[in-house]
PDB file of all heavy atoms in Angstrom:
ATOM      1  N   PHE A 256      -5.807 -10.335 -20.442  1.00 96.00           N
ATOM      2  CA  PHE A 256      -4.988  -9.953 -19.286  1.00 96.00           C
ATOM      3  C   PHE A 256      -3.525 -10.344 -19.528  1.00 96.00           C
ATOM      4  O   PHE A 256      -2.613  -9.597 -19.192  1.00 96.00           O
ATOM      5  CB  PHE A 256      -5.531 -10.629 -18.015  1.00 96.00           C
ATOM      6  CG  PHE A 256      -4.882 -10.127 -16.756  1.00 96.00           C
ATOM      7  CD1 PHE A 256      -5.149  -8.852 -16.281  1.00 96.00           C
ATOM      8  CD2 PHE A 256      -3.988 -10.920 -16.049  1.00 96.00           C
ATOM      9  CE1 PHE A 256      -4.552  -8.376 -15.129  1.00 96.00           C
ATOM     10  CE2 PHE A 256      -3.378 -10.456 -14.891  1.00 96.00           C
ATOM     11  CZ  PHE A 256      -3.663  -9.182 -14.427  1.00 96.00           C
ATOM     12  N   CYS A 257      -3.334 -11.527 -20.150  1.00 97.00           N
ATOM     13  CA  CYS A 257      -1.967 -11.964 -20.457  1.00 97.00           C
ATOM     14  C   CYS A 257      -1.309 -10.986 -21.435  1.00 97.00           C
ATOM     15  O   CYS A 257      -0.161 -10.588 -21.259  1.00 97.00           O
ATOM     16  CB  CYS A 257      -1.977 -13.360 -21.076  1.00 97.00           C
ATOM     17  SG  CYS A 257      -2.467 -14.625 -19.911  1.00 97.00           S
ATOM     18  N   ARG A 258      -2.097 -10.583 -22.469  1.00 96.00           N
ATOM     19  CA  ARG A 258      -1.540  -9.650 -23.468  1.00 96.00           C
ATOM     20  C   ARG A 258      -1.199  -8.319 -22.798  1.00 96.00           C
ATOM     21  O   ARG A 258      -0.170  -7.718 -23.066  1.00 96.00           O
ATOM     22  CB  ARG A 258      -2.550  -9.410 -24.592  1.00 96.00           C
ATOM     23  CG  ARG A 258      -2.544 -10.478 -25.664  1.00 96.00           C
ATOM     24  CD  ARG A 258      -3.264  -9.990 -26.913  1.00 96.00           C
ATOM     25  NE  ARG A 258      -4.623  -9.570 -26.653  1.00 96.00           N
ATOM     26  CZ  ARG A 258      -5.663 -10.396 -26.568  1.00 96.00           C
ATOM     27  NH1 ARG A 258      -5.491 -11.689 -26.745  1.00 96.00           N
ATOM     28  NH2 ARG A 258      -6.873  -9.937 -26.310  1.00 96.00           N
ATOM     29  N   PHE A 259      -2.069  -7.900 -21.878  1.00 96.00           N
ATOM     30  CA  PHE A 259      -1.903  -6.617 -21.187  1.00 96.00           C
ATOM     31  C   PHE A 259      -0.548  -6.564 -20.460  1.00 96.00           C
ATOM     32  O   PHE A 259       0.147  -5.557 -20.483  1.00 96.00           O
ATOM     33  CB  PHE A 259      -3.073  -6.457 -20.209  1.00 96.00           C
ATOM     34  CG  PHE A 259      -3.002  -5.258 -19.309  1.00 96.00           C
ATOM     35  CD1 PHE A 259      -2.825  -3.985 -19.825  1.00 96.00           C
ATOM     36  CD2 PHE A 259      -3.137  -5.392 -17.925  1.00 96.00           C
ATOM     37  CE1 PHE A 259      -2.778  -2.882 -18.992  1.00 96.00           C
ATOM     38  CE2 PHE A 259      -3.098  -4.304 -17.093  1.00 96.00           C
ATOM     39  CZ  PHE A 259      -2.905  -3.048 -17.630  1.00 96.00           C
ATOM     40  N   LEU A 260      -0.166  -7.700 -19.845  1.00 97.00           N
ATOM     41  CA  LEU A 260       1.067  -7.705 -19.053  1.00 97.00           C
ATOM     42  C   LEU A 260       2.239  -8.390 -19.760  1.00 97.00           C
ATOM     43  O   LEU A 260       3.360  -8.388 -19.240  1.00 97.00           O
ATOM     44  CB  LEU A 260       0.835  -8.378 -17.704  1.00 97.00           C
ATOM     45  CG  LEU A 260      -0.112  -7.633 -16.758  1.00 97.00           C
ATOM     46  CD1 LEU A 260      -0.251  -8.383 -15.457  1.00 97.00           C
ATOM     47  CD2 LEU A 260       0.392  -6.224 -16.478  1.00 97.00           C
ATOM     48  N   GLY A 261       1.967  -8.998 -20.923  1.00 97.00           N
ATOM     49  CA  GLY A 261       3.053  -9.611 -21.691  1.00 97.00           C
ATOM     50  C   GLY A 261       3.479 -10.979 -21.200  1.00 97.00           C
ATOM     51  O   GLY A 261       4.521 -11.487 -21.610  1.00 97.00           O
ATOM     52  N   TYR A 262       2.709 -11.592 -20.296  1.00 97.00           N
ATOM     53  CA  TYR A 262       3.060 -12.917 -19.784  1.00 97.00           C
ATOM     54  C   TYR A 262       2.122 -13.967 -20.369  1.00 97.00           C
ATOM     55  O   TYR A 262       1.030 -13.639 -20.837  1.00 97.00           O
ATOM     56  CB  TYR A 262       2.898 -12.972 -18.265  1.00 97.00           C
ATOM     57  CG  TYR A 262       3.900 -12.147 -17.502  1.00 97.00           C
ATOM     58  CD1 TYR A 262       3.584 -10.852 -17.078  1.00 97.00           C
ATOM     59  CD2 TYR A 262       5.154 -12.659 -17.182  1.00 97.00           C
ATOM     60  CE1 TYR A 262       4.492 -10.091 -16.355  1.00 97.00           C
ATOM     61  CE2 TYR A 262       6.062 -11.906 -16.459  1.00 97.00           C
ATOM     62  CZ  TYR A 262       5.729 -10.620 -16.052  1.00 97.00           C
ATOM     63  OH  TYR A 262       6.630  -9.887 -15.342  1.00 97.00           O
ATOM     64  N   SER A 263       2.526 -15.248 -20.258  1.00 96.00           N
ATOM     65  CA  SER A 263       1.605 -16.330 -20.631  1.00 96.00           C
ATOM     66  C   SER A 263       0.760 -16.657 -19.404  1.00 96.00           C
ATOM     67  O   SER A 263       1.107 -16.271 -18.275  1.00 96.00           O
ATOM     68  CB  SER A 263       2.396 -17.563 -21.048  1.00 96.00           C
ATOM     69  OG  SER A 263       3.015 -18.128 -19.910  1.00 96.00           O
ATOM     70  N   GLY A 264      -0.343 -17.392 -19.659  1.00 95.00           N
ATOM     71  CA  GLY A 264      -1.227 -17.769 -18.551  1.00 95.00           C
ATOM     72  C   GLY A 264      -0.477 -18.575 -17.505  1.00 95.00           C
ATOM     73  O   GLY A 264      -0.669 -18.390 -16.310  1.00 95.00           O
ATOM     74  N   ASP A 265       0.409 -19.479 -17.960  1.00 96.00           N
ATOM     75  CA  ASP A 265       1.152 -20.315 -17.013  1.00 96.00           C
ATOM     76  C   ASP A 265       2.074 -19.473 -16.147  1.00 96.00           C
ATOM     77  O   ASP A 265       2.245 -19.728 -14.964  1.00 96.00           O
ATOM     78  CB  ASP A 265       1.990 -21.365 -17.760  1.00 96.00           C
ATOM     79  CG  ASP A 265       1.096 -22.441 -18.356  1.00 96.00           C
ATOM     80  OD1 ASP A 265      -0.078 -22.523 -17.923  1.00 96.00           O
ATOM     81  OD2 ASP A 265       1.568 -23.171 -19.245  1.00 96.00           O
ATOM     82  N   GLU A 266       2.677 -18.467 -16.777  1.00 97.00           N
ATOM     83  CA  GLU A 266       3.608 -17.624 -16.019  1.00 97.00           C
ATOM     84  C   GLU A 266       2.887 -16.837 -14.920  1.00 97.00           C
ATOM     85  O   GLU A 266       3.464 -16.526 -13.884  1.00 97.00           O
ATOM     86  CB  GLU A 266       4.323 -16.642 -16.958  1.00 97.00           C
ATOM     87  CG  GLU A 266       5.383 -17.296 -17.803  1.00 97.00           C
ATOM     88  CD  GLU A 266       5.980 -16.352 -18.834  1.00 97.00           C
ATOM     89  OE1 GLU A 266       5.223 -15.564 -19.450  1.00 97.00           O
ATOM     90  OE2 GLU A 266       7.189 -16.398 -19.044  1.00 97.00           O
ATOM     91  N   LEU A 267       1.625 -16.524 -15.187  1.00 97.00           N
ATOM     92  CA  LEU A 267       0.895 -15.706 -14.218  1.00 97.00           C
ATOM     93  C   LEU A 267       0.236 -16.532 -13.117  1.00 97.00           C
ATOM     94  O   LEU A 267      -0.166 -16.003 -12.084  1.00 97.00           O
ATOM     95  CB  LEU A 267      -0.183 -14.873 -14.932  1.00 97.00           C
ATOM     96  CG  LEU A 267       0.347 -13.742 -15.793  1.00 97.00           C
ATOM     97  CD1 LEU A 267      -0.795 -13.068 -16.536  1.00 97.00           C
ATOM     98  CD2 LEU A 267       1.089 -12.709 -14.950  1.00 97.00           C
ATOM     99  N   GLN A 268       0.144 -17.820 -13.359  1.00 95.00           N
ATOM    100  CA  GLN A 268      -0.527 -18.703 -12.395  1.00 95.00           C
ATOM    101  C   GLN A 268       0.124 -18.606 -11.013  1.00 95.00           C
ATOM    102  O   GLN A 268       1.325 -18.804 -10.878  1.00 95.00           O
ATOM    103  CB  GLN A 268      -0.431 -20.151 -12.915  1.00 95.00           C
ATOM    104  CG  GLN A 268      -1.317 -21.122 -12.196  1.00 95.00           C
ATOM    105  CD  GLN A 268      -2.792 -20.871 -12.507  1.00 95.00           C
ATOM    106  OE1 GLN A 268      -3.109 -20.517 -13.625  1.00 95.00           O
ATOM    107  NE2 GLN A 268      -3.636 -21.038 -11.520  1.00 95.00           N
ATOM    108  N   GLY A 269      -0.657 -18.251 -10.007  1.00 96.00           N
ATOM    109  CA  GLY A 269      -0.158 -18.226  -8.624  1.00 96.00           C
ATOM    110  C   GLY A 269       0.663 -17.004  -8.268  1.00 96.00           C
ATOM    111  O   GLY A 269       1.136 -16.875  -7.150  1.00 96.00           O
ATOM    112  N   VAL A 270       0.841 -16.067  -9.238  1.00 97.00           N
ATOM    113  CA  VAL A 270       1.651 -14.869  -8.958  1.00 97.00           C
ATOM    114  C   VAL A 270       0.847 -13.892  -8.101  1.00 97.00           C
ATOM    115  O   VAL A 270      -0.341 -13.674  -8.341  1.00 97.00           O
ATOM    116  CB  VAL A 270       2.081 -14.186 -10.280  1.00 97.00           C
ATOM    117  CG1 VAL A 270       2.800 -12.876 -10.015  1.00 97.00           C
ATOM    118  CG2 VAL A 270       2.963 -15.120 -11.084  1.00 97.00           C
ATOM    119  N   ALA A 271       1.492 -13.315  -7.085  1.00 96.00           N
ATOM    120  CA  ALA A 271       0.806 -12.332  -6.228  1.00 96.00           C
ATOM    121  C   ALA A 271       0.608 -11.040  -7.023  1.00 96.00           C
ATOM    122  O   ALA A 271       1.546 -10.570  -7.668  1.00 96.00           O
ATOM    123  CB  ALA A 271       1.632 -12.048  -4.992  1.00 96.00           C
TER     124      ALA A 271
END
Side-chain angles (χ1 to χ4, degrees):
F256 189 71
C257 292
R258 277 196 303 278
F259 174 53
L260 293 181
Y262 291 96
S263 70
D265 288 344
E266 285 174 320
L267 289 175
Q268 192 70 36
V270 174

